[in-house]
């Protein structure tokens, strides 16, 4: 079965640089979610999109922005990177017509900020 | 205090043992409860999904939800070395449109042959 695709899988950036993470949801899934997981931490909800509109917002820094495109893929843009942004970034997707809160996660993008 | 509490472990058991993993929570608005399995450096994999109180069984896995006690459990029967992973509980509430999952910190399980 098709899964959530994230790219790149690994990313190394310097402080103050920018990064763009991409997420391709499972086919026919219309909602995407972004989570940040620091070392030894639980995933923290950042933001979600349904039908290209932001549907919920969590603890996402103002330096970060995200959007969902017409093909339902999503991009997380991160600017002025800080050392503390080093983490695993997960994208998850779900189908609105499916079971509530049933989110399927991608393999993650490991961001390292030097 | 975190909304969802989970013992980080590690929990070490011999192969074939019955494993019990638990989470407590403070937000009575949580209605959907999930268990995810996460292998090192991989994405969380949905294992069990339950709504409100009750039990749900799927193969070697049984999920229990006790909303009156704000307590959920995951039981693994006949544990295997391949079950060694971190198990995360997650839950959601209607006031966030069930969009935002709130996770526990995860329990690391080690099953030895």
């Amino acid at each position: 079965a098709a899964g959530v695709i994230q790219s790149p899988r690994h990313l190394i950036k310097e402080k103050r640089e920018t990064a763009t993470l991409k997420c391709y949801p499972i086919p026919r899934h219309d909602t995407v979610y972004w989570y940040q997981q620091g070392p030894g931490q639980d995933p923290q909800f950042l933001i979600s999109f349904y039908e290209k509109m932001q549907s919920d917002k969590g603890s996402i820094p103002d330096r970060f922005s995200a959007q969902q495109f017409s093909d339902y893929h999503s991009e997380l843009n991160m600017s002025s990177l800080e050392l503390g942004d080093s983490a695993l970034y997960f994208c998850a997707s779900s189908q609105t017509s499916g079971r509530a809160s049933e989110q399927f996660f991608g393999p993650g993008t490991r961001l390292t900020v030097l | 205090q975190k909304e969802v509490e989970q013992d980080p472990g590690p929990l070490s058991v011999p192969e074939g043992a019955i494993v019990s993993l638990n989470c407590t929570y403070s937000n009575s608005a949580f209605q959907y409860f999930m268990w995810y399995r996460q292998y090192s450096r991989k994405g969380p994999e949905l294992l069990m999904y339950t709504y409100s109180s009750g039990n749900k069984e799927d193969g070697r896995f049984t999920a229990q939800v006790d909303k009156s006690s704000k307590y959920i459990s995951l039981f693994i029967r006949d544990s295997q070395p391949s079950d060694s992973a971190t198990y995360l509980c997650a839950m959601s509430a209607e006031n966030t449109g069930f969009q935002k999952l709130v996770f526990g910190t995860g329990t690391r399980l080690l099953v030895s042959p």
Side-chain angles (χ1 to χ4, degrees), chain B residues 23-58:
Chain B
C23 287
T24 59
Y25 61 93
S26 57
N27 186 354
S28 58
F30 287 138
Q31 293 186 39
Y32 289 91
F33 304 89
M34 280 69 65
W35 284 95
Y36 284 85
R37 177 175 63 194
Q38 186 175 25
Y39 293 108
S40 180
R41 296 174 178 263
K42 302 292 185 184
E45 172 193 1
L46 181 62
L47 274 181
M48 299 293 284
Y49 173 98
T50 52
Y51 170 68
S52 195
S53 288
N55 294 357
K56 183 175 182 180
E57 185 174 326
D58 185 0

PDB file of all heavy atoms in Angstrom, chain B residues 23-58:
ATOM      1  N   CYS B  23      -0.868   4.607  29.590  1.00  0.00           N
ATOM      2  CA  CYS B  23      -0.824   6.071  29.560  1.00  0.00           C
ATOM      3  C   CYS B  23      -1.942   6.607  30.433  1.00  0.00           C
ATOM      4  O   CYS B  23      -3.028   6.015  30.492  1.00  0.00           O
ATOM      5  CB  CYS B  23      -1.008   6.616  28.151  1.00  0.00           C
ATOM      6  SG  CYS B  23       0.389   6.389  27.059  1.00  0.00           S
ATOM      7  N   THR B  24      -1.668   7.714  31.088  1.00  0.00           N
ATOM      8  CA  THR B  24      -2.716   8.450  31.782  1.00  0.00           C
ATOM      9  C   THR B  24      -2.817   9.829  31.154  1.00  0.00           C
ATOM     10  O   THR B  24      -1.846  10.320  30.555  1.00  0.00           O
ATOM     11  CB  THR B  24      -2.414   8.588  33.285  1.00  0.00           C
ATOM     12  OG1 THR B  24      -1.158   9.272  33.448  1.00  0.00           O
ATOM     13  CG2 THR B  24      -2.336   7.229  33.955  1.00  0.00           C
ATOM     14  N   TYR B  25      -3.982  10.422  31.289  1.00  0.00           N
ATOM     15  CA  TYR B  25      -4.169  11.740  30.681  1.00  0.00           C
ATOM     16  C   TYR B  25      -5.034  12.598  31.579  1.00  0.00           C
ATOM     17  O   TYR B  25      -5.728  12.105  32.476  1.00  0.00           O
ATOM     18  CB  TYR B  25      -4.755  11.617  29.279  1.00  0.00           C
ATOM     19  CG  TYR B  25      -6.118  10.963  29.216  1.00  0.00           C
ATOM     20  CD1 TYR B  25      -7.283  11.734  29.238  1.00  0.00           C
ATOM     21  CD2 TYR B  25      -6.251   9.588  29.125  1.00  0.00           C
ATOM     22  CE1 TYR B  25      -8.535  11.156  29.158  1.00  0.00           C
ATOM     23  CE2 TYR B  25      -7.498   8.995  29.046  1.00  0.00           C
ATOM     24  CZ  TYR B  25      -8.636   9.774  29.069  1.00  0.00           C
ATOM     25  OH  TYR B  25      -9.886   9.193  28.999  1.00  0.00           O
ATOM     26  N   SER B  26      -4.985  13.883  31.329  1.00  0.00           N
ATOM     27  CA  SER B  26      -5.703  14.810  32.209  1.00  0.00           C
ATOM     28  C   SER B  26      -6.896  15.482  31.523  1.00  0.00           C
ATOM     29  O   SER B  26      -7.810  15.954  32.200  1.00  0.00           O
ATOM     30  CB  SER B  26      -4.747  15.883  32.728  1.00  0.00           C
ATOM     31  OG  SER B  26      -4.126  16.575  31.645  1.00  0.00           O
ATOM     32  N   ASN B  27      -6.911  15.509  30.210  1.00  0.00           N
ATOM     33  CA  ASN B  27      -7.957  16.212  29.475  1.00  0.00           C
ATOM     34  C   ASN B  27      -9.145  15.290  29.216  1.00  0.00           C
ATOM     35  O   ASN B  27      -9.082  14.378  28.402  1.00  0.00           O
ATOM     36  CB  ASN B  27      -7.380  16.716  28.140  1.00  0.00           C
ATOM     37  CG  ASN B  27      -8.365  17.590  27.378  1.00  0.00           C
ATOM     38  OD1 ASN B  27      -9.523  17.734  27.778  1.00  0.00           O
ATOM     39  ND2 ASN B  27      -7.917  18.166  26.292  1.00  0.00           N
ATOM     40  N   SER B  28     -10.232  15.545  29.911  1.00  0.00           N
ATOM     41  CA  SER B  28     -11.411  14.677  29.790  1.00  0.00           C
ATOM     42  C   SER B  28     -12.085  14.806  28.417  1.00  0.00           C
ATOM     43  O   SER B  28     -12.998  14.055  28.103  1.00  0.00           O
ATOM     44  CB  SER B  28     -12.421  15.007  30.889  1.00  0.00           C
ATOM     45  OG  SER B  28     -12.798  16.366  30.812  1.00  0.00           O
ATOM     46  N   ALA B  29     -11.644  15.773  27.610  1.00  0.00           N
ATOM     47  CA  ALA B  29     -12.234  15.959  26.281  1.00  0.00           C
ATOM     48  C   ALA B  29     -11.675  14.973  25.246  1.00  0.00           C
ATOM     49  O   ALA B  29     -12.215  14.862  24.152  1.00  0.00           O
ATOM     50  CB  ALA B  29     -11.995  17.387  25.796  1.00  0.00           C
ATOM     51  N   PHE B  30     -10.605  14.276  25.595  1.00  0.00           N
ATOM     52  CA  PHE B  30     -10.053  13.305  24.642  1.00  0.00           C
ATOM     53  C   PHE B  30     -11.085  12.208  24.377  1.00  0.00           C
ATOM     54  O   PHE B  30     -11.680  11.660  25.302  1.00  0.00           O
ATOM     55  CB  PHE B  30      -8.762  12.690  25.168  1.00  0.00           C
ATOM     56  CG  PHE B  30      -7.587  13.621  25.132  1.00  0.00           C
ATOM     57  CD1 PHE B  30      -6.703  13.670  26.203  1.00  0.00           C
ATOM     58  CD2 PHE B  30      -7.340  14.426  24.036  1.00  0.00           C
ATOM     59  CE1 PHE B  30      -5.603  14.522  26.182  1.00  0.00           C
ATOM     60  CE2 PHE B  30      -6.245  15.280  23.999  1.00  0.00           C
ATOM     61  CZ  PHE B  30      -5.382  15.328  25.081  1.00  0.00           C
ATOM     62  N   GLN B  31     -11.279  11.896  23.102  1.00  0.00           N
ATOM     63  CA  GLN B  31     -12.268  10.886  22.737  1.00  0.00           C
ATOM     64  C   GLN B  31     -11.693   9.774  21.868  1.00  0.00           C
ATOM     65  O   GLN B  31     -12.229   8.672  21.861  1.00  0.00           O
ATOM     66  CB  GLN B  31     -13.420  11.556  21.974  1.00  0.00           C
ATOM     67  CG  GLN B  31     -14.243  12.509  22.813  1.00  0.00           C
ATOM     68  CD  GLN B  31     -15.439  13.027  22.052  1.00  0.00           C
ATOM     69  OE1 GLN B  31     -16.081  12.299  21.305  1.00  0.00           O
ATOM     70  NE2 GLN B  31     -15.762  14.294  22.232  1.00  0.00           N
ATOM     71  N   TYR B  32     -10.638  10.092  21.096  1.00  0.00           N
ATOM     72  CA  TYR B  32     -10.029   9.085  20.246  1.00  0.00           C
ATOM     73  C   TYR B  32      -8.656   8.756  20.798  1.00  0.00           C
ATOM     74  O   TYR B  32      -7.898   9.659  21.178  1.00  0.00           O
ATOM     75  CB  TYR B  32      -9.910   9.583  18.805  1.00  0.00           C
ATOM     76  CG  TYR B  32     -11.246   9.663  18.107  1.00  0.00           C
ATOM     77  CD1 TYR B  32     -11.986  10.835  18.146  1.00  0.00           C
ATOM     78  CD2 TYR B  32     -11.773   8.570  17.446  1.00  0.00           C
ATOM     79  CE1 TYR B  32     -13.219  10.918  17.525  1.00  0.00           C
ATOM     80  CE2 TYR B  32     -13.005   8.640  16.817  1.00  0.00           C
ATOM     81  CZ  TYR B  32     -13.733   9.814  16.865  1.00  0.00           C
ATOM     82  OH  TYR B  32     -14.950   9.896  16.258  1.00  0.00           O
ATOM     83  N   PHE B  33      -8.351   7.470  20.832  1.00  0.00           N
ATOM     84  CA  PHE B  33      -7.126   7.013  21.460  1.00  0.00           C
ATOM     85  C   PHE B  33      -6.403   6.056  20.514  1.00  0.00           C
ATOM     86  O   PHE B  33      -7.006   5.119  19.995  1.00  0.00           O
ATOM     87  CB  PHE B  33      -7.436   6.312  22.785  1.00  0.00           C
ATOM     88  CG  PHE B  33      -8.212   7.179  23.734  1.00  0.00           C
ATOM     89  CD1 PHE B  33      -9.602   7.183  23.709  1.00  0.00           C
ATOM     90  CD2 PHE B  33      -7.552   8.011  24.626  1.00  0.00           C
ATOM     91  CE1 PHE B  33     -10.331   8.007  24.566  1.00  0.00           C
ATOM     92  CE2 PHE B  33      -8.269   8.832  25.486  1.00  0.00           C
ATOM     93  CZ  PHE B  33      -9.654   8.838  25.452  1.00  0.00           C
ATOM     94  N   MET B  34      -5.126   6.327  20.298  1.00  0.00           N
ATOM     95  CA  MET B  34      -4.345   5.535  19.370  1.00  0.00           C
ATOM     96  C   MET B  34      -3.066   5.049  20.027  1.00  0.00           C
ATOM     97  O   MET B  34      -2.563   5.662  20.978  1.00  0.00           O
ATOM     98  CB  MET B  34      -3.943   6.393  18.151  1.00  0.00           C
ATOM     99  CG  MET B  34      -5.005   6.585  17.080  1.00  0.00           C
ATOM    100  SD  MET B  34      -6.410   7.596  17.588  1.00  0.00           S
ATOM    101  CE  MET B  34      -5.626   9.192  17.831  1.00  0.00           C
ATOM    102  N   TRP B  35      -2.576   3.959  19.526  1.00  0.00           N
ATOM    103  CA  TRP B  35      -1.237   3.478  19.882  1.00  0.00           C
ATOM    104  C   TRP B  35      -0.413   3.401  18.607  1.00  0.00           C
ATOM    105  O   TRP B  35      -0.859   2.837  17.601  1.00  0.00           O
ATOM    106  CB  TRP B  35      -1.291   2.112  20.559  1.00  0.00           C
ATOM    107  CG  TRP B  35      -1.759   2.181  21.980  1.00  0.00           C
ATOM    108  CD1 TRP B  35      -3.031   2.005  22.436  1.00  0.00           C
ATOM    109  CD2 TRP B  35      -0.951   2.447  23.126  1.00  0.00           C
ATOM    110  NE1 TRP B  35      -3.063   2.156  23.806  1.00  0.00           N
ATOM    111  CE2 TRP B  35      -1.795   2.425  24.247  1.00  0.00           C
ATOM    112  CE3 TRP B  35       0.409   2.704  23.321  1.00  0.00           C
ATOM    113  CZ2 TRP B  35      -1.336   2.643  25.547  1.00  0.00           C
ATOM    114  CZ3 TRP B  35       0.865   2.927  24.598  1.00  0.00           C
ATOM    115  CH2 TRP B  35       0.000   2.892  25.708  1.00  0.00           C
ATOM    116  N   TYR B  36       0.768   3.984  18.666  1.00  0.00           N
ATOM    117  CA  TYR B  36       1.707   3.939  17.556  1.00  0.00           C
ATOM    118  C   TYR B  36       2.970   3.198  17.989  1.00  0.00           C
ATOM    119  O   TYR B  36       3.379   3.291  19.145  1.00  0.00           O
ATOM    120  CB  TYR B  36       2.110   5.360  17.124  1.00  0.00           C
ATOM    121  CG  TYR B  36       1.068   6.107  16.323  1.00  0.00           C
ATOM    122  CD1 TYR B  36       0.040   6.816  16.952  1.00  0.00           C
ATOM    123  CD2 TYR B  36       1.112   6.118  14.931  1.00  0.00           C
ATOM    124  CE1 TYR B  36      -0.901   7.505  16.211  1.00  0.00           C
ATOM    125  CE2 TYR B  36       0.176   6.815  14.183  1.00  0.00           C
ATOM    126  CZ  TYR B  36      -0.835   7.503  14.831  1.00  0.00           C
ATOM    127  OH  TYR B  36      -1.770   8.201  14.097  1.00  0.00           O
ATOM    128  N   ARG B  37       3.566   2.503  17.043  1.00  0.00           N
ATOM    129  CA  ARG B  37       4.851   1.854  17.259  1.00  0.00           C
ATOM    130  C   ARG B  37       5.876   2.599  16.428  1.00  0.00           C
ATOM    131  O   ARG B  37       5.655   2.881  15.250  1.00  0.00           O
ATOM    132  CB  ARG B  37       4.788   0.380  16.849  1.00  0.00           C
ATOM    133  CG  ARG B  37       6.102  -0.369  16.966  1.00  0.00           C
ATOM    134  CD  ARG B  37       5.885  -1.843  16.664  1.00  0.00           C
ATOM    135  NE  ARG B  37       5.429  -2.064  15.305  1.00  0.00           N
ATOM    136  CZ  ARG B  37       4.918  -3.223  14.869  1.00  0.00           C
ATOM    137  NH1 ARG B  37       4.802  -4.246  15.698  1.00  0.00           N
ATOM    138  NH2 ARG B  37       4.537  -3.349  13.613  1.00  0.00           N
ATOM    139  N   GLN B  38       6.999   2.912  17.038  1.00  0.00           N
ATOM    140  CA  GLN B  38       8.040   3.645  16.332  1.00  0.00           C
ATOM    141  C   GLN B  38       9.381   2.956  16.501  1.00  0.00           C
ATOM    142  O   GLN B  38       9.901   2.857  17.616  1.00  0.00           O
ATOM    143  CB  GLN B  38       8.124   5.099  16.824  1.00  0.00           C
ATOM    144  CG  GLN B  38       9.096   5.960  16.034  1.00  0.00           C
ATOM    145  CD  GLN B  38       9.076   7.424  16.456  1.00  0.00           C
ATOM    146  OE1 GLN B  38       8.725   7.755  17.579  1.00  0.00           O
ATOM    147  NE2 GLN B  38       9.460   8.314  15.541  1.00  0.00           N
ATOM    148  N   TYR B  39       9.924   2.479  15.396  1.00  0.00           N
ATOM    149  CA  TYR B  39      11.265   1.936  15.417  1.00  0.00           C
ATOM    150  C   TYR B  39      12.246   3.100  15.319  1.00  0.00           C
ATOM    151  O   TYR B  39      11.908   4.183  14.832  1.00  0.00           O
ATOM    152  CB  TYR B  39      11.468   0.951  14.267  1.00  0.00           C
ATOM    153  CG  TYR B  39      10.646  -0.310  14.389  1.00  0.00           C
ATOM    154  CD1 TYR B  39       9.552  -0.566  13.562  1.00  0.00           C
ATOM    155  CD2 TYR B  39      10.965  -1.264  15.358  1.00  0.00           C
ATOM    156  CE1 TYR B  39       8.807  -1.719  13.686  1.00  0.00           C
ATOM    157  CE2 TYR B  39      10.207  -2.427  15.488  1.00  0.00           C
ATOM    158  CZ  TYR B  39       9.135  -2.649  14.652  1.00  0.00           C
ATOM    159  OH  TYR B  39       8.399  -3.790  14.792  1.00  0.00           O
ATOM    160  N   SER B  40      13.467   2.842  15.735  1.00  0.00           N
ATOM    161  CA  SER B  40      14.469   3.893  15.793  1.00  0.00           C
ATOM    162  C   SER B  40      14.622   4.582  14.438  1.00  0.00           C
ATOM    163  O   SER B  40      14.786   3.928  13.411  1.00  0.00           O
ATOM    164  CB  SER B  40      15.803   3.303  16.238  1.00  0.00           C
ATOM    165  OG  SER B  40      16.788   4.303  16.311  1.00  0.00           O
ATOM    166  N   ARG B  41      14.527   5.907  14.455  1.00  0.00           N
ATOM    167  CA  ARG B  41      14.723   6.753  13.278  1.00  0.00           C
ATOM    168  C   ARG B  41      13.688   6.496  12.177  1.00  0.00           C
ATOM    169  O   ARG B  41      13.946   6.773  11.006  1.00  0.00           O
ATOM    170  CB  ARG B  41      16.139   6.584  12.720  1.00  0.00           C
ATOM    171  CG  ARG B  41      17.202   7.040  13.695  1.00  0.00           C
ATOM    172  CD  ARG B  41      18.604   6.739  13.205  1.00  0.00           C
ATOM    173  NE  ARG B  41      19.594   7.232  14.146  1.00  0.00           N
ATOM    174  CZ  ARG B  41      20.226   8.378  14.033  1.00  0.00           C
ATOM    175  NH1 ARG B  41      19.979   9.172  13.008  1.00  0.00           N
ATOM    176  NH2 ARG B  41      21.105   8.764  14.921  1.00  0.00           N
ATOM    177  N   LYS B  42      12.523   5.956  12.564  1.00  0.00           N
ATOM    178  CA  LYS B  42      11.454   5.727  11.600  1.00  0.00           C
ATOM    179  C   LYS B  42      10.223   6.515  12.019  1.00  0.00           C
ATOM    180  O   LYS B  42      10.151   7.051  13.124  1.00  0.00           O
ATOM    181  CB  LYS B  42      11.103   4.234  11.536  1.00  0.00           C
ATOM    182  CG  LYS B  42      12.260   3.339  11.162  1.00  0.00           C
ATOM    183  CD  LYS B  42      12.695   3.537   9.730  1.00  0.00           C
ATOM    184  CE  LYS B  42      13.774   2.531   9.359  1.00  0.00           C
ATOM    185  NZ  LYS B  42      14.284   2.774   7.977  1.00  0.00           N
ATOM    186  N   GLY B  43       9.240   6.574  11.125  1.00  0.00           N
ATOM    187  CA  GLY B  43       7.996   7.250  11.449  1.00  0.00           C
ATOM    188  C   GLY B  43       7.093   6.385  12.309  1.00  0.00           C
ATOM    189  O   GLY B  43       7.163   5.158  12.260  1.00  0.00           O
ATOM    190  N   PRO B  44       6.235   6.989  13.126  1.00  0.00           N
ATOM    191  CA  PRO B  44       5.274   6.221  13.929  1.00  0.00           C
ATOM    192  C   PRO B  44       4.313   5.440  13.029  1.00  0.00           C
ATOM    193  O   PRO B  44       3.806   5.964  12.041  1.00  0.00           O
ATOM    194  CB  PRO B  44       4.533   7.311  14.719  1.00  0.00           C
ATOM    195  CG  PRO B  44       5.445   8.502  14.713  1.00  0.00           C
ATOM    196  CD  PRO B  44       6.148   8.441  13.393  1.00  0.00           C
ATOM    197  N   GLU B  45       4.068   4.195  13.418  1.00  0.00           N
ATOM    198  CA  GLU B  45       3.181   3.301  12.674  1.00  0.00           C
ATOM    199  C   GLU B  45       1.933   3.058  13.516  1.00  0.00           C
ATOM    200  O   GLU B  45       2.037   2.643  14.671  1.00  0.00           O
ATOM    201  CB  GLU B  45       3.906   1.987  12.394  1.00  0.00           C
ATOM    202  CG  GLU B  45       3.047   0.891  11.795  1.00  0.00           C
ATOM    203  CD  GLU B  45       3.749  -0.452  11.848  1.00  0.00           C
ATOM    204  OE1 GLU B  45       4.877  -0.520  12.369  1.00  0.00           O
ATOM    205  OE2 GLU B  45       3.151  -1.439  11.388  1.00  0.00           O
ATOM    206  N   LEU B  46       0.776   3.322  12.956  1.00  0.00           N
ATOM    207  CA  LEU B  46      -0.468   3.164  13.691  1.00  0.00           C
ATOM    208  C   LEU B  46      -0.737   1.689  13.967  1.00  0.00           C
ATOM    209  O   LEU B  46      -0.812   0.870  13.054  1.00  0.00           O
ATOM    210  CB  LEU B  46      -1.630   3.772  12.900  1.00  0.00           C
ATOM    211  CG  LEU B  46      -3.002   3.710  13.556  1.00  0.00           C
ATOM    212  CD1 LEU B  46      -3.019   4.488  14.871  1.00  0.00           C
ATOM    213  CD2 LEU B  46      -4.061   4.259  12.612  1.00  0.00           C
ATOM    214  N   LEU B  47      -0.890   1.362  15.258  1.00  0.00           N
ATOM    215  CA  LEU B  47      -1.155  -0.014  15.665  1.00  0.00           C
ATOM    216  C   LEU B  47      -2.624  -0.237  16.018  1.00  0.00           C
ATOM    217  O   LEU B  47      -3.239  -1.195  15.570  1.00  0.00           O
ATOM    218  CB  LEU B  47      -0.315  -0.361  16.904  1.00  0.00           C
ATOM    219  CG  LEU B  47       1.103  -0.865  16.729  1.00  0.00           C
ATOM    220  CD1 LEU B  47       1.701  -1.160  18.100  1.00  0.00           C
ATOM    221  CD2 LEU B  47       1.140  -2.096  15.848  1.00  0.00           C
ATOM    222  N   MET B  48      -3.128   0.618  16.893  1.00  0.00           N
ATOM    223  CA  MET B  48      -4.487   0.434  17.400  1.00  0.00           C
ATOM    224  C   MET B  48      -5.208   1.776  17.419  1.00  0.00           C
ATOM    225  O   MET B  48      -4.599   2.814  17.694  1.00  0.00           O
ATOM    226  CB  MET B  48      -4.475  -0.156  18.805  1.00  0.00           C
ATOM    227  CG  MET B  48      -3.822  -1.513  18.907  1.00  0.00           C
ATOM    228  SD  MET B  48      -4.751  -2.795  18.050  1.00  0.00           S
ATOM    229  CE  MET B  48      -6.112  -3.066  19.192  1.00  0.00           C
ATOM    230  N   TYR B  49      -6.492   1.714  17.175  1.00  0.00           N
ATOM    231  CA  TYR B  49      -7.320   2.925  17.124  1.00  0.00           C
ATOM    232  C   TYR B  49      -8.622   2.611  17.855  1.00  0.00           C
ATOM    233  O   TYR B  49      -9.299   1.648  17.519  1.00  0.00           O
ATOM    234  CB  TYR B  49      -7.594   3.251  15.652  1.00  0.00           C
ATOM    235  CG  TYR B  49      -8.564   4.365  15.393  1.00  0.00           C
ATOM    236  CD1 TYR B  49      -8.121   5.649  15.123  1.00  0.00           C
ATOM    237  CD2 TYR B  49      -9.939   4.125  15.368  1.00  0.00           C
ATOM    238  CE1 TYR B  49      -9.009   6.668  14.848  1.00  0.00           C
ATOM    239  CE2 TYR B  49     -10.839   5.139  15.101  1.00  0.00           C
ATOM    240  CZ  TYR B  49     -10.369   6.416  14.829  1.00  0.00           C
ATOM    241  OH  TYR B  49     -11.257   7.429  14.561  1.00  0.00           O
ATOM    242  N   THR B  50      -8.935   3.410  18.868  1.00  0.00           N
ATOM    243  CA  THR B  50     -10.164   3.167  19.618  1.00  0.00           C
ATOM    244  C   THR B  50     -10.891   4.480  19.864  1.00  0.00           C
ATOM    245  O   THR B  50     -10.272   5.541  19.947  1.00  0.00           O
ATOM    246  CB  THR B  50      -9.883   2.494  20.978  1.00  0.00           C
ATOM    247  OG1 THR B  50      -8.882   3.261  21.675  1.00  0.00           O
ATOM    248  CG2 THR B  50      -9.382   1.079  20.810  1.00  0.00           C
ATOM    249  N   TYR B  51     -12.201   4.367  20.003  1.00  0.00           N
ATOM    250  CA  TYR B  51     -13.036   5.535  20.285  1.00  0.00           C
ATOM    251  C   TYR B  51     -13.721   5.321  21.633  1.00  0.00           C
ATOM    252  O   TYR B  51     -14.293   4.253  21.870  1.00  0.00           O
ATOM    253  CB  TYR B  51     -14.086   5.728  19.198  1.00  0.00           C
ATOM    254  CG  TYR B  51     -15.130   6.765  19.546  1.00  0.00           C
ATOM    255  CD1 TYR B  51     -14.786   8.111  19.634  1.00  0.00           C
ATOM    256  CD2 TYR B  51     -16.445   6.388  19.811  1.00  0.00           C
ATOM    257  CE1 TYR B  51     -15.739   9.062  19.966  1.00  0.00           C
ATOM    258  CE2 TYR B  51     -17.393   7.341  20.145  1.00  0.00           C
ATOM    259  CZ  TYR B  51     -17.037   8.673  20.219  1.00  0.00           C
ATOM    260  OH  TYR B  51     -17.977   9.608  20.550  1.00  0.00           O
ATOM    261  N   SER B  52     -13.606   6.297  22.491  1.00  0.00           N
ATOM    262  CA  SER B  52     -14.230   6.297  23.808  1.00  0.00           C
ATOM    263  C   SER B  52     -13.757   5.087  24.616  1.00  0.00           C
ATOM    264  O   SER B  52     -12.679   4.563  24.409  1.00  0.00           O
ATOM    265  CB  SER B  52     -15.747   6.328  23.644  1.00  0.00           C
ATOM    266  OG  SER B  52     -16.359   6.673  24.870  1.00  0.00           O
ATOM    267  N   SER B  53     -14.545   4.629  25.551  1.00  0.00           N
ATOM    268  CA  SER B  53     -14.134   3.552  26.446  1.00  0.00           C
ATOM    269  C   SER B  53     -14.373   2.185  25.816  1.00  0.00           C
ATOM    270  O   SER B  53     -15.170   2.030  24.905  1.00  0.00           O
ATOM    271  CB  SER B  53     -14.908   3.650  27.765  1.00  0.00           C
ATOM    272  OG  SER B  53     -14.456   4.738  28.533  1.00  0.00           O
ATOM    273  N   GLY B  54     -13.652   1.203  26.345  1.00  0.00           N
ATOM    274  CA  GLY B  54     -13.862  -0.157  25.880  1.00  0.00           C
ATOM    275  C   GLY B  54     -12.577  -0.835  25.487  1.00  0.00           C
ATOM    276  O   GLY B  54     -11.481  -0.301  25.671  1.00  0.00           O
ATOM    277  N   ASN B  55     -12.724  -2.042  24.964  1.00  0.00           N
ATOM    278  CA  ASN B  55     -11.588  -2.861  24.551  1.00  0.00           C
ATOM    279  C   ASN B  55     -11.622  -3.066  23.047  1.00  0.00           C
ATOM    280  O   ASN B  55     -12.694  -3.090  22.432  1.00  0.00           O
ATOM    281  CB  ASN B  55     -11.637  -4.237  25.227  1.00  0.00           C
ATOM    282  CG  ASN B  55     -11.447  -4.154  26.727  1.00  0.00           C
ATOM    283  OD1 ASN B  55     -11.215  -3.082  27.272  1.00  0.00           O
ATOM    284  ND2 ASN B  55     -11.563  -5.278  27.390  1.00  0.00           N
ATOM    285  N   LYS B  56     -10.433  -3.251  22.482  1.00  0.00           N
ATOM    286  CA  LYS B  56     -10.336  -3.613  21.076  1.00  0.00           C
ATOM    287  C   LYS B  56      -9.173  -4.565  20.905  1.00  0.00           C
ATOM    288  O   LYS B  56      -8.089  -4.324  21.448  1.00  0.00           O
ATOM    289  CB  LYS B  56     -10.136  -2.380  20.198  1.00  0.00           C
ATOM    290  CG  LYS B  56     -10.091  -2.702  18.709  1.00  0.00           C
ATOM    291  CD  LYS B  56     -10.024  -1.449  17.897  1.00  0.00           C
ATOM    292  CE  LYS B  56     -10.022  -1.759  16.410  1.00  0.00           C
ATOM    293  NZ  LYS B  56      -9.966  -0.528  15.594  1.00  0.00           N
ATOM    294  N   GLU B  57      -9.411  -5.637  20.173  1.00  0.00           N
ATOM    295  CA  GLU B  57      -8.373  -6.644  19.991  1.00  0.00           C
ATOM    296  C   GLU B  57      -8.031  -6.770  18.512  1.00  0.00           C
ATOM    297  O   GLU B  57      -8.908  -6.735  17.639  1.00  0.00           O
ATOM    298  CB  GLU B  57      -8.856  -7.996  20.534  1.00  0.00           C
ATOM    299  CG  GLU B  57      -7.805  -9.092  20.514  1.00  0.00           C
ATOM    300  CD  GLU B  57      -8.299 -10.358  21.204  1.00  0.00           C
ATOM    301  OE1 GLU B  57      -9.058 -10.252  22.176  1.00  0.00           O
ATOM    302  OE2 GLU B  57      -7.929 -11.443  20.735  1.00  0.00           O
ATOM    303  N   ASP B  58      -6.729  -6.917  18.242  1.00  0.00           N
ATOM    304  CA  ASP B  58      -6.274  -7.117  16.869  1.00  0.00           C
ATOM    305  C   ASP B  58      -5.039  -8.012  16.917  1.00  0.00           C
ATOM    306  O   ASP B  58      -3.945  -7.552  17.247  1.00  0.00           O
ATOM    307  CB  ASP B  58      -5.931  -5.777  16.214  1.00  0.00           C
ATOM    308  CG  ASP B  58      -5.559  -5.933  14.742  1.00  0.00           C
ATOM    309  OD1 ASP B  58      -5.566  -7.075  14.236  1.00  0.00           O
ATOM    310  OD2 ASP B  58      -5.259  -4.911  14.095  1.00  0.00           O
TER     311      ASP B  58
END
